[in-house]
Amino acid sequence: EPEVTQTPSHQVTQMGQEVILRCVPISNHLYFYWYRQILGQKVEFLVSFYNNEISEKSEIFDDQFSVERPDGSNFTLKIRSTKLEDSAMYFCASSSPPHTYGNTIYFGEGSWLTVV
Amino acid sequence: GESVGLHLPTLSVQEGDNSIINCAYSNSASDYFIWYKQESGKGPQFIIDIRSNMDKRQGQRVTVLLNKTVKHLSLQIAATQPGDSAVYFCAENMDQKVTFGTGTKLQVIP
């Protein structure tokens, strides 16, 4: 079964540093997403991306965050000047076409970010 | 505020029994709902979905029921197995965004 892959699986970074989380969506998918899950809490939407631009973003996704599709396979989430409260599991997801009835959104296994 | 939420945080079920996980939503305009399973340390996994023009949908060992009158949906798991132990989230899809509820932890007692 096709899968979304994410790297790294776990990253520890110092407060104030920049972090890049990487994702390889499923190859024929066109819609990409980032979600995050703080330990013990629900999964929260961050951003959706289509046709090389952001389709929608949540209030969490402020200027500290950015996404990019630098080539034909990778989709990255950059977090600038990390804060302690950025510690969370970050999930990449993809779907094609947009996540609608019958078109499943697939999630990666997540990248666990710890800010110290 | 949160538009999708769950009634109970933890549900313990004897192996072999049926499980019922409930979820309430507040946005009457919501027309597409999904149930996800999340095992410890893993990403959410799609289980089953339902559109608002249906009130029931069945999959393999799972059934989702939707009651639009009271804005409630449920996930029924037949013959619950140890491998069903996980956190279950209901979620609604609007446009290109999936909004998750807070989750119910299902514990299967052998």
Side-chain angles (χ1 to χ4, degrees):
Chain A
E1 182 171 308
E3 59 180 20
V4 175
T5 57
Q6 292 184 239
T7 55
S9 56
H10 188 192
Q11 181 161 353
V12 180
T13 189
Q14 286 200 322
M15 193 168 52
Q17 296 298 303
E18 177 181 284
V19 165
I20 296 177
L21 304 178
R22 293 182 167 81
C23 170
V24 178
I26 294 171
S27 61
N28 61 345
H29 284 185
L30 301 175
Y31 293 81
F32 315 115
Y33 314 82
W34 282 102
Y35 287 77
R36 81 171 185 189
Q37 185 177 31
I38 295 171
L39 186 64
Q41 298 186 24
K42 65 179 181 178
V43 179
E44 300 174 291
F45 171 79
L46 292 179
V47 66
S48 60
F49 189 89
Y50 169 69
N51 199 26
N52 286 319
E53 61 182 24
I54 290 173
S55 308
E56 188 167 354
K57 60 183 181 179
S58 71
E59 57 192 25
I60 302 169
F61 195 89
D62 59 20
D63 291 343
Q64 184 193 4
F65 295 88
S66 62
V67 289
E68 190 179 30
R69 189 157 163 80
D71 54 43
S73 60
N74 291 285
F75 179 51
T76 62
L77 174 69
K78 182 187 289 186
I79 309 173
R80 286 179 282 275
S81 189
T82 49
K83 305 187 288 281
L84 295 177
E85 53 265 38
D86 294 327
S87 295
M89 180 75 90
Y90 288 81
F91 293 107
C92 175
S94 69
S95 68
S96 182
H99 182 38
T100 57
Y101 190 69
N103 297 315
T104 305
I105 182 171
Y106 291 88
F107 286 83
E109 296 287 87
S111 293
W112 181 247
L113 175 65
T114 302
V115 182
V116 297
Chain B
E2 180 180 310
S3 68
V4 180
L6 293 164
H7 293 302
L8 298 173
T10 305
L11 176 67
S12 296
V13 175
Q14 203 74 36
E15 181 179 355
D17 288 351
N18 296 335
S19 303
I20 300 176
I21 302 171
N22 296 304
C23 178
Y25 64 96
S26 58
N27 186 355
S28 56
S30 298
D31 66 353
Y32 175 37
F33 303 91
I34 315 112
W35 279 100
Y36 287 93
K37 174 186 180 182
Q38 187 178 27
E39 295 176 276
S40 181
K42 296 189 175 183
Q45 179 184 3
F46 173 90
I47 301 173
I48 192 167
D49 56 5
I50 190 167
R51 200 148 205 179
S52 61
N53 61 352
M54 302 176 72
D55 52 22
K56 181 179 180 179
R57 193 160 190 238
Q58 286 185 296
Q60 187 177 14
R61 277 203 310 120
V62 294
T63 301
V64 55
L65 299 177
L66 175 63
N67 185 330
K68 295 179 286 295
T69 303
V70 295
K71 300 199 201 85
H72 181 270
L73 69 158
S74 66
L75 176 71
Q76 299 179 0
I77 304 173
T80 312
Q81 302 168 0
D84 295 327
S85 293
V87 176
Y88 290 81
F89 294 93
C90 65
E92 61 176 338
N93 180 70
M94 295 276 290
D95 300 319
Q96 294 174 39
K97 182 171 74 174
V98 174
T99 301
F100 286 82
T102 51
T104 292
K105 183 176 181 180
L106 177 64
Q107 295 179 324
V108 181
I109 304 166

